[in-house]
Amino acid sequence: MHVLVVHNRYNSAQPSGENNVVDQEVELLRAAGHRVGVFERRSDDIAGRSLPGKVAVPLLVPWNPAVRSELAARLRAERPDVVHVHNVFPLLSPAVLAACADAGVPAVATLHNYTQICPPGTLQREGRPCTECVGTAPLPAVRHGCYRNSRLATVPLALSLSVNRRRWWSGVERFFCISAAQREVLVRAGMPAGRLAVKHNFVPDPDVRRSGPGEHLLYLGRLAEAKGVRLLMAAWDEIAAGGGVGVPLVIAGAGPLEDEVTAWAAGRDDVRHVGLYDPEQCRRAIARSVAVVAPSTWLEAFGLVVVEAMAAGVPTVAAGHGAFVELVEDGGTGLLHRPGEAASLAACLRRITAEPDLNRRMGLAARRRYERGFSPEVGLERLEEGYRTAIAVRSALARGGDTPAGRGDGGSR
């Protein structure tokens, strides 16, 4: 197949699992013999714009007419079989869907978060679950300044959600939800169930796996409130007050809480804040872990670090909600703590370090789970299946006949 991937790359100064997923899928498809092009914008480029150019960026969030024209022209020239849309914020906009319609090319879209029903895409406000905007005009998000704690910054996202909701729902032949938990939330919010298929993200088989009991507990990700960083610090303080668990906590990442984490870790022997790791450092840090910690307070749509740990044969301690419930078998491939509760998280961290035989069995089970459900082979199969469905649906619509079952059923994988 000939596939064109559309993606607005996130700022490179902070880790982005979404950027990684896009790059890995492109590489996977090309290795399988598919022809893959990329149509992208980079958030990094905003810094190099003139002042008027920077001021204009929020105006492009709901609709970027130049992108529509440019992408439509490319589609007509190259005639790909399918367009795969990932992130369109802030420089691409949903105008990419109009370009696909202009050129008559079917579109699929991976839903990496909840931006279809929540302006910031987190379904969270002030550290707590929030669904005020689901199924209605997103005025509460503006009132609360849900994006970057700013009403002004939230307006373009809220406007885009309002004016483009139906365009998304009608202009995409197949949505890839990255977990069943995410799909359930979106269906309840009114999205068309027949177009929502579950396609978990895959992870390349790492070149290193855990070979011993591990040297540390590892938090790997964005240093942000929604990721449970403050919760982890509170749990670790409780553990330290009780004498520790015998291994240090390594925190790798960057984000808005970085200064707070740095200050908290300073002068401690039981905590190491190592900043950003490159991909190779991430793989090796995971493979040296007793467990990987994923204490998110928001409803994660997936949880890439959990699957990266699985691939390395490492168990996970994760919050017992969102996608983590389907990724982590509690007591089998890791442990689930009560969401938002530092004492529960501390108890799980103590247990997973205090029972080495259980930890080893969990690591082996996690690796088997990865091989069954999250390997590149499985990822390729599900990508191709989604593309074939979208192409068949568009072909049937073009002929004026009945659409294949893929557009009308409620099924998922």
Side-chain angles (χ1 to χ4, degrees), residues 66-326:
V67 162
R68 177 180 183 174
S69 299
E70 181 183 345
L71 179 56
R74 180 166 172 181
L75 292 175
R76 292 190 182 102
E78 298 183 7
R79 302 307 306 175
D81 298 302
V82 65
V83 170
H84 189 162
V85 179
H86 289 272
N87 175 49
V88 300
F89 173 79
L91 298 175
L92 287 171
S93 85
V96 300
L97 302 179
C100 293
D102 293 342
V105 179
V108 304
T110 296
L111 303 178
H112 294 273
N113 45 45
Y114 295 100
T115 52
Q116 299 294 319
I117 58 175
C118 167
T122 61
L123 290 179
Q124 186 183 62
R125 179 166 59 86
E126 297 177 354
R128 296 185 298 273
C130 176
T131 57
E132 282 193 60
C133 294
V134 175
T136 185
L139 295 178
V142 176
R143 186 170 65 250
H144 299 302
C146 289
Y147 180 65
R148 295 185 174 178
N149 295 315
S150 166
R151 292 177 179 176
L152 186 62
T154 305
V155 167
L157 287 163
L159 179 62
S160 182
L161 191 157
S162 296
V163 302
N164 292 307
R165 190 191 312 262
R166 292 296 171 185
R167 182 180 298 278
W168 278 106
W169 294 9
S170 63
V172 175
E173 307 300 343
R174 199 70 162 171
F175 289 102
F176 291 139
C177 298
I178 54 179
S179 67
Q182 181 197 35
R183 183 181 186 275
E184 181 180 347
V185 170
L186 295 174
V187 170
R188 289 202 309 266
M191 287 192 68
R195 302 190 200 180
L196 297 172
V198 176
K199 185 197 72 63
H200 292 129
N201 292 326
F202 77 93
V203 167
D205 203 339
D207 55 0
V208 289
R209 297 186 204 170
R210 192 174 71 173
S211 58
E215 306 168 4
H216 52 240
L217 292 164
L218 176 68
Y219 173 88
L220 179 63
R222 182 168 163 78
L223 303 184
E225 178 75 28
K227 292 294 186 179
V229 173
R230 287 197 175 111
L231 181 72
L232 176 59
M233 291 192 291
W236 196 255
D237 282 341
E238 179 181 324
I239 289 171
V245 291
V247 294
L249 171 66
V250 172
I251 298 178
L257 299 184
E258 186 167 3
D259 290 344
E260 185 176 332
V261 171
T262 300
W264 174 75
R268 298 181 64 153
D269 295 330
D270 62 333
V271 180
R272 295 203 304 271
H273 175 221
V274 297
L276 276 176
Y277 273 163
D278 63 32
E280 179 62 23
Q281 289 174 313
C282 288
R283 286 190 290 270
R284 296 195 178 280
I286 290 171
R288 295 197 302 269
S289 299
V290 175
V292 166
V293 191
S296 293
T297 57
W298 82 292
L299 297 175
E300 292 278 4
F302 188 59
L304 197 63
V305 71
V306 173
V307 180
E308 290 171 337
M310 286 183 191
V314 174
T316 304
V317 173
H321 60 176
F324 292 150
V325 175
E326 68 191 83

Side-chain angles (χ1 to χ4, degrees), residues 339-360:
E341 295 189 17
S344 177
L345 173 56
C348 288
L349 294 175
R350 290 190 190 100
R351 183 184 177 194
I352 210 159
T353 53
E355 301 182 36
D357 289 342
L358 174 65
N359 186 294
R360 181 183 59 82

